[in-house]
Amino acid sequence: MTKGMRFGVGDRLAPLTKPPVTRTQLVMYAGASGDFNPIHTVESFAQEAGLGGVIAHGMLTMAFVGQMLTDLFGESGELSTFGIRFIDMVRPDDIITCEGVVTEVEEAPNGQIVTCDVWATKAPGDVKVVQGTARFRIFA
Amino acid sequence: MGVDMHDFLPLVGVWSEPVKNEVEKGAIRKFAQAIGDDNPLYSNEEAAKKSRYGRLVAPPTFSRTFDYGRIPNLVLPTAGLIHGEQSYVFHRPILAGDVLYASQALVDVKERSGKLGRMIILLFSYKVENEAGDLVQTATSTIIYRPEGGNSHD
């Protein structure tokens, strides 16, 4: 939320560790998003589908990464682009940590345009569950 | 099931009728709650009023909640779909009270065979415009369908 924040290539974004994913959260996300695919909420259905239990909506994990970005710049910035590839399944009790690193900085008349790689893991150094890029504007 | 990419090819480039979506405060709050994001701009009207937005703001992926209309003749299987990728281009913020028009199209279809069997890769494009016809947001989704089965994880 700092005015006049500046980024340089190689800067690490402040990571965000979310509380453990819960089944209640998956039901809430289903209701809020309108994605009622039972693989996210109905244990027996997910078992029969061969998933070994309910899995989180990929878009929920993407929302976590989105929060890391908006927490970072608050009102002093704005997202321009945000893309994610879904790699691995997230399940109830998983603790997701979102991270990122700046890959490109463009100086603009009224601030900076910052491009970064972003990703999320279930534990530091673990395989990525999602991975992508984001670009945001920082207002000077 | 005998589904292949040729079932989808005739539908490529056909857009749904844009659907009116009204951005409600309660819907923004519920979405923010569901993702566990306590950013005051999403839930606290006083804080939002003092911000440069002036109204409650929607989180970046909020447009997931919109109705994008039906693509005529598109029948998607209900099982075996995997959400592969999602990307957004943000042109304007989405704020409480906005009246937006959302539409979607299938824009590309590919078929591949790999170790995991046959995959049909569907690329969808989404468009959100305001009442003045300005672009608010565009998005794309890659949906992978494995006709011979396999786990779906969206």
Side-chain angles (χ1 to χ4, degrees), chain A residues 6-77:
Chain A
R6 292 188 58 79
F7 289 89
V9 171
D11 284 357
R12 290 267 167 177
L13 309 185
L16 172 71
T17 299
K18 295 291 288 179
V21 171
T22 65
R23 287 165 195 271
T24 305
Q25 181 170 38
L26 301 186
V27 172
M28 286 167 72
Y29 188 82
S33 70
D35 181 346
F36 292 107
N37 188 332
I39 60 170
H40 305 302
T41 50
V42 183
E43 184 65 21
S44 56
F45 185 94
Q47 291 285 357
E48 274 164 44
L51 294 168
V54 294
I55 60 168
H57 304 76
M59 289 301 294
L60 177 63
T61 309
M62 184 168 190
F64 293 168
V65 179
Q67 183 185 353
M68 172 190 64
L69 292 162
T70 49
D71 279 356
L72 182 72
F73 47 72
E75 277 187 65
S76 347

Side-chain angles (χ1 to χ4, degrees), chain A residues 18 35 55 58 80 82 84 86, chain B residues 34 36 84 86 88 90 153-154:
Chain A
K18 295 291 288 179
D35 181 346
I55 60 168
S80 317
F82 181 27
I84 282 289
F86 302 102
Chain B
Q86 178 76 25
Y88 294 96
F90 305 98
H153 77 278
D154 171 62

Side-chain angles (χ1 to χ4, degrees), chain B residues 31-48:
Chain B
F31 188 84
Q33 255 169 30
I35 65 176
D37 189 338
D38 57 7
N39 190 328
L41 292 180
Y42 304 153
S43 54
N44 181 332
E45 281 191 280
E46 281 309 305

Side-chain angles (χ1 to χ4, degrees), chain B residues 26-63:
Chain B
I28 294 179
R29 283 202 186 97
K30 282 211 168 68
F31 188 84
Q33 255 169 30
I35 65 176
D37 189 338
D38 57 7
N39 190 328
L41 292 180
Y42 304 153
S43 54
N44 181 332
E45 281 191 280
E46 281 309 305
K49 204 171 278 174
K50 284 187 211 135
S51 76
R52 65 193 168 86
Y53 299 103
R55 284 179 275 155
L56 289 183
V57 183
T61 59
F62 178 77
S63 58

